[in-house]
Amino acid sequence: MAAQSLLTESVLGWSIFTIILLVILVFCWIYIRKFQSRRESEVISTITAICALAIALITSALLPVDIFLVSFMKYPNGTYKEWAANNETRGQIEDTVLYGYYTLYSIILICVFLWIPFVYFYYEERDDNNVNKCSQVKNALKYTIGFVIVCVALLLIGAFVPLAAPPGQNSTQWEKVQYLFEELGSSHGLPALSFSISSLTLIGMLAVIVYTAYGMSVMPLNLIKGTRSVKYERLENTEDIDDVEHQIEKLKSKCQDGRPLSSRDRNNLQELEGKLQVLRRRGRHLEIAERNCCTKVGSALRPFKILLGIFFILVALLFTIALFISNLDKALHSAGISSGFIIFGTNLTNPLNELLLALQPVFPLDYILITVITVYFVLTSMAGIRNMGIWFFWIRLYKIRPKKTRPQALLFLCMILLLIVLHTSYMIYSLAPQYVMYGSQKYLVQMPSPGPTSGNTTINTSRICDADAPEDQCTVTRSYLFLHKFWFFSTIYYFGNWAFIGAFLIGLVVSCCRGKKSVIEGEVEADDSDFSDDEYVH
């Protein structure tokens, strides 16, 4: 009976994960195809982008499964289910999740340090028509080796960073070397992988501060404000065309008597002709948008978009408040920088943590909410990247535009999302620390029986799992162990949360001050070619 229950619970958890996996693959294919340039599409870059994006989303989906499995080991009253009563059985379940993290994190390392760089440099070399396929592969491998060296260095550092007390000064050199190898083997390479992933998570933290924080403000406000009227934009565009044509005629009239134009007038004429070209392309796109049925459907769904935008901005504010309370809790009740600001449980009332705990009795509302939170972070990150583009400090590298995004930009997009997803787990832990650590587990505590005639009798009372629980009564999620393997990374993440709150508030102010977007936002740029319109017309 216990074995049958174990099989049922495991199949349920992983069946949910499989369904999510299929949904993710379909979403990734649609998303990449939506933004991919039709003229510059390449099979290898398309497959790489779809797979990398899928891996990022699948990794984010593993956290709810991790919480689900540790929570389902117990009944609501705090006792273990029959199939989970054995420590060995619980260990096998958690090892399955741990191997899932191992596998996905290893694939992420391969993607970030080998696969995506190789495909990126291979496509860069393709731009040179004089280079054959063999030279493309050679040059791409040459540049990729640098990324591989960095990856190997991170793995070695993580493998040999001692987490326990080292041997004494009187130990022999062989004993010290043996100790390092025992440290590496004792946790099956967990520190090596954890250090590498944590290093990448630092980069992901920067991406979250820049892109996710901005996306959390710009996505809901764009839904609330909507887009400008197509008819008004066409009228305004026609007036701009007439004005530019008048200026061009005025400049050309200066040379009707045979006199050449001055260098200043020639530059002005060239700029005006370029501007006229962009305005005419814009006019064609506005005409198509006015006839497009999607524009009409979007106008009909305007009330729904406003409600959705209000909901998203309330969610963003809830997350920001929960993150602020969690960071304040760490500042007041943790052991400080030397411990990585780690606390067990919550000392201040965290609204999101309390909401997840309140939803526990009604299965599966708490798991649905934690999944929605994960998806929300990914979607807002995508919105932030799309609205901002891909930047290297103050230099804009690529734009993300529907049907016009270059393959290199899609590869960058997927790499950034891979890094963001790594940091998302810590963000969710910061939002609901107690829930992410223990899920909905409870444990039994013996309390004195109430009443004057009770004597020395005791009763068992269930409590939500926290730091005071006996070690064998509550199982910690594997995600928590990955996040807190190295205290110095936790310290950096803590200060990163404060930066995220500041970036969100700045982004909120900037988004409020901005006007409505054009209905053809991102479709027409000055550096586009004329025949790029074919992607929209045909």
Side-chain angles (χ1 to χ4, degrees):
M1 184 67 182
Q4 186 177 0
S5 299
L6 169 62
L7 180 63
T8 303
E9 305 291 1
S10 299
V11 167
L12 178 60
W14 289 107
S15 296
I16 294 172
F17 185 74
T18 304
I19 294 170
I20 294 172
L21 173 62
L22 295 175
V23 173
I24 284 171
L25 290 173
V26 173
F27 171 79
C28 291
W29 185 83
I30 294 172
Y31 187 83
I32 295 298
R33 294 295 294 172
K34 176 185 176 182
F35 287 95
Q36 183 184 48
S37 172
R38 299 292 183 264
R39 292 187 298 106
E40 297 184 78
S41 61
E42 180 78 13
V43 174
I44 186 170
S45 64
T46 302
I47 294 174
T48 301
I50 291 173
C51 292
L53 183 59
I55 290 164
L57 298 179
I58 291 167
T59 305
S60 68
L62 193 56
L63 176 62
V65 174
D66 189 5
I67 297 171
F68 174 84
L69 289 176
V70 297
S71 300
F72 252 58
M73 292 180 183
K74 286 194 162 189
Y75 288 113
N77 62 2
T79 58
Y80 279 110
K81 295 181 179 179
E82 290 79 6
W83 57 267
N86 191 345
N87 283 334
E88 186 178 345
T89 305
R90 294 199 299 272
Q92 290 175 354
I93 299 262
E94 283 304 294
D95 283 344
T96 304
V97 179
L98 183 62
Y99 295 144
Y101 277 114
Y102 269 137
T103 303
L104 288 172
Y105 284 161
S106 299
I107 292 173
I108 287 175
L109 285 179
I110 293 171
C111 285
V112 172
F113 288 108
L114 181 63
W115 189 7
I116 294 178
F118 174 79
V119 175
Y120 177 86
F121 290 120
Y122 178 83
Y123 196 84
E124 283 288 299
E125 291 295 322
R126 182 177 174 274
D127 291 343
D128 189 352
N129 296 326
N130 298 324
V131 178
N132 55 37
K133 294 285 183 184
C134 186
S135 299
Q136 277 182 251
V137 173
K138 265 198 230 173
N139 292 333
L141 283 173
K142 180 174 66 176
Y143 295 124
T144 307
I145 285 173
F147 286 84
V148 175
I149 291 172
V150 173
C151 180
V152 172
L154 290 175
L155 287 171
L156 289 175
I157 293 171
F160 293 103
V161 168
L163 298 178
Q169 294 293 329
N170 297 327
S171 303
T172 63
Q173 290 296 321
W174 169 247
E175 287 176 339
K176 292 179 180 179
V177 172
Q178 193 176 24
Y179 159 77
L180 289 175
F181 278 102
E182 287 174 357
E183 276 290 303
L184 174 62
S186 62
S187 55
H188 310 287
L190 177 61
L193 184 60
S194 182
F195 186 87
S196 304
I197 291 298
S198 297
S199 301
L200 290 180
T201 304
L202 288 183
I203 306 173
M205 181 188 74
L206 298 176
V208 165
I209 292 170
V210 174
Y211 293 113
T212 310
Y214 181 64
M216 282 175 61
S217 62
V218 74
M219 186 177 78
L221 288 177
N222 281 344
L223 287 170
I224 294 170
K225 290 188 289 188
T227 57
R228 301 173 65 192
S229 168
V230 182
K231 291 182 179 179
Y232 179 78
E233 280 198 79
R234 284 194 68 188
L235 178 62
E236 190 180 60
N237 191 76
T238 303
E239 291 175 353
D240 290 341
I241 289 175
D242 293 339
D243 183 52
V244 172
E245 286 178 341
H246 177 71
Q247 293 181 51
I248 290 174
E249 289 175 4
K250 187 176 179 181
L251 281 175
K252 286 183 177 180
S253 64
K254 292 182 179 180
C255 60
Q256 284 182 351
D257 55 356
R259 287 181 303 168
L261 290 173
S262 64
S263 59
R264 181 181 175 183
D265 286 339
R266 283 199 302 272
N267 290 335
N268 288 339
L269 181 61
Q270 191 174 0
E271 289 178 7
L272 288 170
E273 286 176 344
K275 186 178 180 181
L276 180 62
Q277 199 174 27
V278 172
L279 288 171
R280 284 173 176 168
R281 284 207 307 273
R282 184 178 174 80
R284 291 195 294 269
H285 282 251
L286 287 169
E287 186 181 351
I288 294 169
E290 191 174 16
R291 297 198 308 262
N292 196 339
C293 61
C294 292
T295 307
K296 297 174 183 176
V297 172
S299 299
L301 295 176
R302 185 84 189 92
F304 175 74
K305 287 183 178 180
I306 293 173
L307 291 175
L308 194 62
I310 294 171
F311 171 75
F312 280 147
I313 199 66
L314 291 176
V315 170
L317 292 172
L318 173 64
F319 285 0
T320 306
I321 293 169
L323 192 60
F324 175 80
I325 293 173
S326 177
N327 262 25
L328 186 62
D329 195 3
K330 291 177 183 178
L332 296 175
H333 301 105
S334 72
I337 292 179
S338 59
S339 68
F341 292 98
I342 296 174
I343 55 173
F344 301 96
T346 55
N347 301 288
L348 300 178
T349 303
N350 188 317
L352 196 57
N353 194 78
E354 294 299 320
L355 177 60
L356 284 164
L357 295 174
L359 291 176
Q360 288 175 6
V362 187
F363 174 82
L365 290 184
D366 51 339
Y367 306 110
I368 292 174
L369 181 57
I370 200 72
T371 304
V372 168
I373 291 171
T374 305
V375 172
Y376 178 81
F377 272 116
V378 174
L379 291 179
T380 51
S381 301
M382 288 178 168
I385 296 172
R386 181 183 171 185
N387 280 273
M388 291 183 66
I390 297 171
W391 293 74
F392 182 75
F393 292 104
W394 59 88
I395 303 171
R396 189 173 194 171
L397 299 178
Y398 298 105
K399 301 170 186 174
I400 308 298
R401 297 186 291 162
K403 300 184 182 179
K404 286 192 175 185
T405 306
R406 300 187 66 193
Q408 296 97 318
L410 286 177
L411 292 173
F412 257 106
L413 167 68
C414 294
M415 183 178 282
I416 291 171
L417 284 174
L418 279 172
L419 299 173
I420 286 174
V421 163
L422 291 178
H423 190 66
T424 298
S425 296
Y426 185 82
M427 289 289 293
I428 296 175
Y429 164 75
S430 299
L431 291 170
Q434 188 174 354
Y435 184 81
V436 171
M437 190 172 177
Y438 295 110
S440 59
Q441 296 177 85
K442 294 182 179 180
Y443 69 101
L444 295 176
V445 178
Q446 288 189 342
M447 300 288 290
S449 180
T453 59
S454 58
N456 294 326
T457 60
T458 59
I459 58 171
N460 288 327
T461 305
S462 62
R463 286 185 181 176
I464 295 172
C465 281
D466 53 21
D468 299 326
E471 190 176 346
D472 61 340
Q473 288 297 310
C474 293
T475 306
V476 179
T477 59
R478 303 299 98 177
S479 174
Y480 177 83
L481 297 179
F482 259 101
L483 290 172
H484 297 92
K485 195 68 179 177
F486 300 94
W487 65 268
F488 43 87
F489 284 119
S490 298
T491 301
I492 299 172
Y493 300 154
Y494 166 79
F495 289 109
N497 283 348
W498 287 116
F500 176 85
I501 294 171
F504 167 74
L505 295 175
I506 293 171
L508 189 63
V509 173
V510 171
S511 301
C512 288
C513 295
R514 280 183 146 184
K516 291 183 178 181
K517 289 199 313 179
S518 170
V519 73
I520 56 167
E521 183 77 21
E523 292 184 11
V524 180
E525 298 287 346
D527 55 356
D528 292 337
S529 58
D530 280 334
F531 56 85
S532 66
D533 285 347
D534 295 341
E535 296 180 0
Y536 290 92
V537 175
H538 298 294

